[in-house]
């Protein structure tokens, strides 16, 4: 199946800092999804991207669908403690796969 | 909108018994539902994809006779872990897709502990 490489694996940042994480694929995707998972809960959809080059925001979150359709970026601005969690990228098709996740820790 | 529930949220069972987990889409019809397994500090591992009214498609390495999936209606899918063993202990999460987009909406997960 399609492989998704997500980086970084973990991040430790200070409250107020901006965060950037990315996801790359060996194959072309027509859709990119970004999820956040809090401990002991199911993932929650943050942003969905449908078009190459698309830049979409959801509050302090901004995600971009790479021009090559093989990558995507998620940025979080002015991080706050509740941003803590694991962020997953997903490239869905008939064969759904998730990246390994980026574990974010925000220090107050 | 797009709410998915799972029941139970946690369950403890004895080795050798079977456990059924329900996944329901509460406010939409789900043409496709997915079952995932997640070990601590790891990503989601897709176990199977189920479409309403048809047999589930299992991922390589997932025993279909052990993990029985039934998608009886457009709002309900069930996963039954048969003859559970301690190594089946994990966090099981379902998701549902409307079919209009590729967006998947996840349930809150079920923590299974087999003793």
């Amino acid at each position: 199946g399609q492989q998704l490489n997500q980086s970084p694996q973990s991040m430790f940042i200070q409250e107020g800092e901006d965060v950037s994480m990315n996801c790359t694929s060996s194959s072309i995707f027509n859709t990119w999804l970004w999820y956040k998972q809090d401990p002991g809960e199911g993932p929650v959809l943050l942003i969905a991207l449908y078009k190459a080059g698309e830049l979409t925001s959801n509050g302090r979150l901004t995600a971009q669908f790479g021009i090559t359709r093989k990558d995507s970026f998620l940025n979080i601005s002015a991080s706050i403690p509740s941003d803590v969690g694991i962020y997953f990228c997903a490239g869905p098709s008939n064969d759904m796969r998730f990246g390994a996740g980026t574990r974010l820790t925000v220090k107050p | 909108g797009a709410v998915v529930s799972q029941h139970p949220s946690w369950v403890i069972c004895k080795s050798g018994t079977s456990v059924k987990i329900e996944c329901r889409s509460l406010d939409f019809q789900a043409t496709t539902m997915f079952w995932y397994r997640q070990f601590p500090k790891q990503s989601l591992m897709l176990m199977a994809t189920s479409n309403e009214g048809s047999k589930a498609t299992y991922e390589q390495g997932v025993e279909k006779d052990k993990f029985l999936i039934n998608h009886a209606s457009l709002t309900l899918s069930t996963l039954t872990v048969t003859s559970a063993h301690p190594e089946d202990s994990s966090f099981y999460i379902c998701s549902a897709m409307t079919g209009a987009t590729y967006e998947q909406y996840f349930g809150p997960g079920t923590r299974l502990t087999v003793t």
Side-chain angles (χ1 to χ4, degrees), chain A residues 31 33 35 37 40-43 48 50 88 92 96-99 103, chain B residues 36 38 41 43-44 46 59 91 93 101-108:
Chain A
T31 302
L33 305 176
Y35 290 87
Q37 186 179 26
E41 298 182 15
Y50 297 102
F88 292 103
M96 182 70 168
R97 289 291 182 265
F98 283 78
R103 186 178 296 272
Chain B
Y36 294 85
Q38 187 178 35
K41 297 186 178 182
S43 187
L44 299 147
L46 180 64
E59 294 297 302
F91 192 52
I93 312 175
T101 70
Y102 282 118
E103 296 171 15
Q104 289 189 19
Y105 298 93
F106 285 84

Side-chain angles (χ1 to χ4, degrees), chain B residues 85-107:
Chain B
H85 291 284
E87 57 265 31
D88 298 325
S89 299
S90 189
F91 192 52
Y92 292 88
I93 312 175
C94 72
S95 70
M97 194 162 71
T98 64
T101 70
Y102 282 118
E103 296 171 15
Q104 289 189 19
Y105 298 93
F106 285 84

Side-chain angles (χ1 to χ4, degrees), chain B:
Chain B
V3 179
V4 176
S5 70
Q6 258 181 265
H7 179 79
S9 56
W10 60 270
V11 57
I12 302 173
C13 71
K14 291 187 176 181
S15 188
T17 61
S18 295
V19 173
K20 179 185 284 188
I21 303 171
E22 291 187 352
C23 178
R24 293 180 185 273
S25 57
L26 299 184
D27 53 359
F28 66 100
Q29 292 187 326
T31 56
T32 306
M33 286 185 167
F34 303 86
W35 287 96
Y36 294 85
R37 185 173 181 177
Q38 187 178 35
F39 292 105
K41 297 186 178 182
Q42 292 189 21
S43 187
L44 299 147
M45 184 190 79
L46 180 64
M47 298 176 67
T49 303
S50 75
N51 293 291
E52 185 264 339
S54 62
K55 290 183 178 180
T57 301
Y58 289 81
E59 294 297 302
Q60 190 173 5
V62 178
E63 299 175 58
K64 62 180 181 180
D65 294 329
K66 180 168 184 61
F67 299 99
L68 300 178
I69 292 172
N70 184 282
H71 194 157
S73 75
L74 284 172
T75 60
L76 172 65
S77 177
T78 60
L79 168 68
T80 302
V81 183
T82 62
S83 187
H85 291 284
E87 57 265 31
D88 298 325
S89 299
S90 189
F91 192 52
Y92 292 88
I93 312 175
C94 72
S95 70
M97 194 162 71
T98 64
T101 70
Y102 282 118
E103 296 171 15
Q104 289 189 19
Y105 298 93
F106 285 84
T110 297
R111 174 129 349 251
L112 170 64
T113 301
V114 184
T115 60

Side-chain angles (χ1 to χ4, degrees), chain A residues 19 33 50 55 81 87 91 93 99 103-104:
Chain A
V19 174
L33 305 176
Y50 297 102
L55 186 71
Y87 293 79
S93 63
R103 186 178 296 272
L104 179 63

